Amino acid sequence: MTLSQAGVTKAPPATAPEPRRPGGRPEGPGGRPEGTRPTWPAVTAAVVLLLALAALSLSVGAGEVGPGRVLDYLLNHDGARADGRLALVVGDLRLPRTLTALLVGAALGVAGAQLQSVTRNPLAETGLLGVNAGASLGVVLGIAVLGVQSSYGYLAFAFGGAVLASALVLLIAGSRGGGSPMRLVLGGSAVGATFGGLTGVLIVNSPEAYDRYRVWVLGSLAGVEGWSTLARLTPVLGAGFLLAALTTRPLTALALGDDLARGLGHRPGATRAAVAVAVTLLTASAVALAGPVSFLGLLAGFLARSLAGPRIGRLTLLAGLFGAAVLTGADVLARVVARPYEAPVSVIVALVGAPALIAIVRSRRSAALALSDPAEATPPAGRRAEPPAPKPDLALRYGAWSLLLPRRALAASFGLAAALLAAVVVAAHAGQSELDLGRTFQAVFGYGDRLDVLLVQKFRLGRIVAALAAGAALGLAGCLTQTLARNRLATPELLGVNDGATAAVLISATASGTFGAWWAGPLGALAAVLVVTLVSGGLGARGYRVLVVGLAMSALASAVIQVALARRSLNSAGSLYVWTSGSLNGRDLAIATPVLVGLAVLVPLALVAARRLAVLRFDDSVASALGVDPGRVRLACLLLAVALAGLAVGVCGPVGFVALAAPVVAGRLAGPARVPVLGSALTGALLVVLADTLGRVLLGGVEIPVGIVTTVLGGPFLLWVLLSRKGSPA
C-alpha cells in the first residue's frame, strides 16, 4: 500500500497534452468541456431535499405538535400564533433550532470546501486551523477559571478561543515568506495540539469542568431556545459567507498555481489569508452555536466535489447546501433515535457521514475528487528528490564475514542510550517523596529501607518500564509509517489505529467492569486496519482512498469513545478520560511485559525490514529492479506498525506526538542515509519517560497525564518542524 502525503499534494505533471475543443478548453468525459458538468440539477435536488428536511425538523420534536398545527402557526391560520403553547413549541423552539441547523451546517460545509480548495487537499477539515481546539479551550477556561455556566458565556468564550487560535495560525503561516498551504496545515495542527493539551490540563484538575465539557464537546442543538443566541452571531455568519463568496474567483485562479494567479492580477498570500478569515468566522460561529461538530466539513466538501468537480463557485454552493442538509437531517435523527433523550448530533453525523464518504470514495466518480496518489507522481526533470546513498565508514570483518556500520548513526544510538539511562535515573529519583540518589540506587537493587524499596520497585520502576516499552513501540511505529508514506508528518493515526485501539479498550472496560485489558488495544488496531484495507479495496496504489477510509474509521471510533465517556458516571468517566489522554498512572511490570515481549519479537523484524524499507525511498520501479517487492515490504511494515501502536495504546492510551517526533529527532541525529529504526525506538522511549517524569513533578500534588504533556510540548515541536528549513516536509 502506498500511503498519501498527510499535507498538501501536488498533481503529477501531465505526460501528454489534454484533448481540447476548438474553443481551447480541455475536454472532459464524453467530449464535454471540463468544468461544464451539469451541476444545476444537483443544486435543485439539494434545495428540494433541504426544504423537505427543514419541514421535517419543524414537525418533529417535543411538545407533540404535528405538521398540521405547525403549518397553521406558520400561516397564522385562524389566529394560531395567539396560542401560547403553539408559539412556545414552534416559534421559540423548533423554528430557531431548524434555522440554526441550516446555518451551522451551511457554514461548516462552505468552510470545508474553502479549506480544501486553498490547501489543494481534499482531506482538509474545518478543524485544521485550530478552530475547534481554540473554542474548546475557551469554553474550559470559562468553566474552570471563571465559573461560567450560561449558554451565552459558552458562546462568548468559544468564539473568542476560536478566533485566537486562527489568528495565531495566520501569524505563523504568514511568517518567513508568506503563507502557503503546507504552512496553514502545519500551523493549524501545531496550535490545535497545544490548545488541546492545555484543555486537557484544565479538565484533569477540575471534575466539574470535565462534567460540563464532555457534554458540550459532543455537539448538540438542544440548547437553542429563542432567537437571541442566533441573532448575536448572524452578522458574523453573514460576514463569513460574504467573504467566502468574494474569494471564489481568486481561489479559481490560485488553483492554477501561484505564478499564474499573480499573472492574472491576484495575490496568493492575500487570498489565503482571506480564506482563513472566512473559515474562522464560519467555523467559530458554528462551534459557538452547536459545539464542535467535526467531520461535517470534510463530508460536505467530498459530496460537493463528486458532483461539481473543481469549479470553486459551484463547489462552495453545493457544499453549503449539503452541509445544511446533513446537519438538519442528523438533528432530526438525534431527536427520534433515543426518545425521550437526544443523541449527540456529532455522533449522528459520524455514523451517517462515514459510510456515505466511504461509498463516494469507492465509487467510479471518485476520480472527480482529484484523489491522485502523490507517491506515484514523477518529479520534474532535474528535481528528483532521491535519498543519498549510504556511506558506511566503519567496517567490522571476521574471516569471510563483514559488517558495515555508519559511524554517525552508531554514535547517535549510543548517545540516545546514554540519555535514556540518565532519564531513567531521574524518573526513579523524582517524585513527591524525599529520596536522594544514593537511597534511590539502593532501592532499585532491593537494599535500604523497606518503604524506599516498595516505593521505587513497586510504583516507580514498573511505571518506568511501561514508559520505556510504550515509547519505544510508538517511536518505531512512527518511523515505519513515515517511511512508508515518504512524509515525516505521517503517523499511525492516519489509518485510525489509535482511535480503533482506544475504542476497543473502552468497550472491553465497559463489558468487564474493570480496566486494564491491554490485549484489546492490538485487537482494536488490527480490526481498524482490516476494515480500512477491505473497504478501501485492498493494499493497492490508491493512497488517498486508504486515507479517506482511515479518516472515516477514526470518526466512527471517536464517536464511540465520546459516547462511552458521556454515558458513564462522572468518577468512572473521569478516570477513563485520563487514560484516553494517555496515562501511565497505575501501570506496572505486569502490564508492560506484553509490550516488552512484543518488542523483543518486533524490533528485530523491523531492523531486518529497514534494509528493504530504505529502498522504498526510491520509485517502485527502482525498488523492483533492486530485487525488492514493494507490496510485500509495505504490507509487512504496515502490520509491524499496527502491532506496535496497538500494544502501546493498550498500555498507556493514545499518547500523542511521540510517533511524530521520535523519527524526526532520530533522523536528524543519525543523518539522512539510513532509516532510523533503532534510533526512533530509543528516542520514543526517552520522550515518554521524560514526559511522564515532568507530568509527575510539574504541579505539586497533581499528576498531569503523559499524553497531555507530550501534546502540549508537541505543538511547539511541530512549529519547529514547520519553521526549520531542513525540517519542512516536502
Side-chain angles (χ1 to χ4, degrees), residues 394-486:
L394 181 62
L396 302 179
R397 292 183 176 87
Y398 181 76
W401 298 90
S402 64
L403 179 63
L404 301 177
L405 298 175
R407 191 183 302 274
R408 179 175 173 180
L410 189 62
S413 297
F414 279 116
L416 286 172
L420 184 58
L421 179 61
V424 169
V425 173
V426 172
H429 172 66
Q432 303 300 324
S433 63
E434 307 249 344
L435 276 179
D436 56 29
L437 284 177
R439 291 169 59 188
T440 301
F441 268 109
Q442 290 181 354
V444 166
F445 296 101
Y447 299 103
D449 187 79
R450 292 178 57 187
L451 293 179
D452 293 348
V453 174
L454 177 65
L455 175 64
V456 173
Q457 289 192 349
K458 178 65 176 177
F459 297 103
R460 294 184 185 174
L461 199 57
R463 181 168 181 160
I464 292 171
V465 172
L468 291 171
L474 288 172
L476 186 53
C479 177
L480 294 174
T481 55
Q482 287 180 16
T483 307
L484 285 176
R486 302 173 190 172

Side-chain angles (χ1 to χ4, degrees), residues 545-569:
R545 174 183 286 188
V546 177
L547 283 178
V548 172
V549 178
L551 288 173
M553 184 68 195
S554 295
L556 289 173
S558 297
V560 172
I561 293 169
Q562 296 296 341
V563 171
L565 293 177
R567 297 297 183 188
R568 298 180 74 93
S569 65

